[in-house]
Amino acid sequence: IPDDRAAEEQMTKGREYLDSMRELSAELEAIRQQISYLYNVSTDAGYDRPAAGADQADENAARIENLIADRERVLSQWLDVYEIVTEVLDLLPERKQRIVLSLRYLLRYSWDAVSEETGYQIRHLLRIHNKAIAQFDEILSRNDCQMK
């Protein structure tokens, strides 16, 4: 039975990497939007109200600095995961598997958007996806990749 648990844990490792890609990408986008908002508020770009006062501008500048540090930390994590994910994607045997996983996890497409881009119905996409995840997990276990 311990072998079954190890196999089950390994079978989820590929999904962990792929989900991590989506989450880190979303986090990077959220940080980018926050920086943009704070910059716009501080410089009065696109607003019909006076620019923030000096104290508020200083506070916003400090927030922006903290967000930039957060962005660097998240980007470093994203790059680590991206390197592994793209290496494994390149080893998938079928082009359509690479496309579906890339659109879904690297580009963060919804299932509807993946369907529209590929021309496949969602039901068929899910079959491709499930097969691709199984292949992804198999490649990870063969290459003994470990999440950082």
Side-chain angles (χ1 to χ4, degrees):
I1 293 181
D3 290 337
D4 292 339
R5 278 193 210 143
E8 187 176 302
E9 276 184 28
Q10 185 60 44
M11 289 305 286
T12 64
K13 190 60 79 175
R15 188 63 188 261
E16 280 182 50
Y17 277 106
L18 293 166
D19 286 342
S20 184
M21 277 299 319
R22 281 181 68 86
E23 291 165 9
L24 290 168
S25 294
E27 190 173 351
L28 284 170
E29 178 59 20
I31 292 169
R32 186 199 65 75
Q33 288 178 4
Q34 290 174 57
I35 290 170
S36 178
Y37 171 78
L38 288 170
Y39 177 79
N40 287 336
V41 167
S42 295
T43 61
D44 195 31
Y47 290 89
D48 292 332
R49 61 177 187 254
D55 290 341
Q56 185 65 46
D58 289 343
E59 188 176 315
N60 288 348
R63 287 181 185 164
I64 289 171
E65 285 180 33
N66 289 336
L67 286 166
I68 289 171
D70 288 346
R71 181 183 63 192
E72 295 304 314
R73 176 187 53 77
V74 173
L75 183 58
S76 176
Q77 293 171 347
W78 185 91
L79 288 169
D80 289 343
V81 175
Y82 178 83
E83 182 179 331
I84 292 168
V85 166
T86 55
E87 182 180 319
V88 175
L89 285 175
D90 287 344
L91 297 173
L92 287 174
E94 295 182 31
R95 183 173 181 264
K96 63 185 172 185
Q97 292 175 339
R98 292 189 297 274
I99 291 169
V100 168
L101 293 184
S102 294
L103 292 173
R104 180 72 178 150
Y105 295 99
L106 296 181
L107 299 178
R108 296 177 40 227
Y109 278 31
S110 68
W111 285 116
D112 288 334
V114 175
S115 176
E116 187 175 315
E117 183 73 24
T118 61
Y120 296 126
Q121 292 182 348
I122 291 178
R123 182 177 297 202
H124 185 61
L125 280 176
L126 293 176
R127 282 193 296 271
I128 294 168
H129 174 267
N130 291 339
K131 185 177 176 185
I133 293 292
Q135 294 276 338
F136 198 99
D137 287 328
E138 184 181 316
I139 292 166
L140 277 176
S141 80
R142 267 197 327 248
N143 293 324
D144 198 34
C145 295
Q146 299 295 318
M147 274 193 98
K148 295 182 180 183

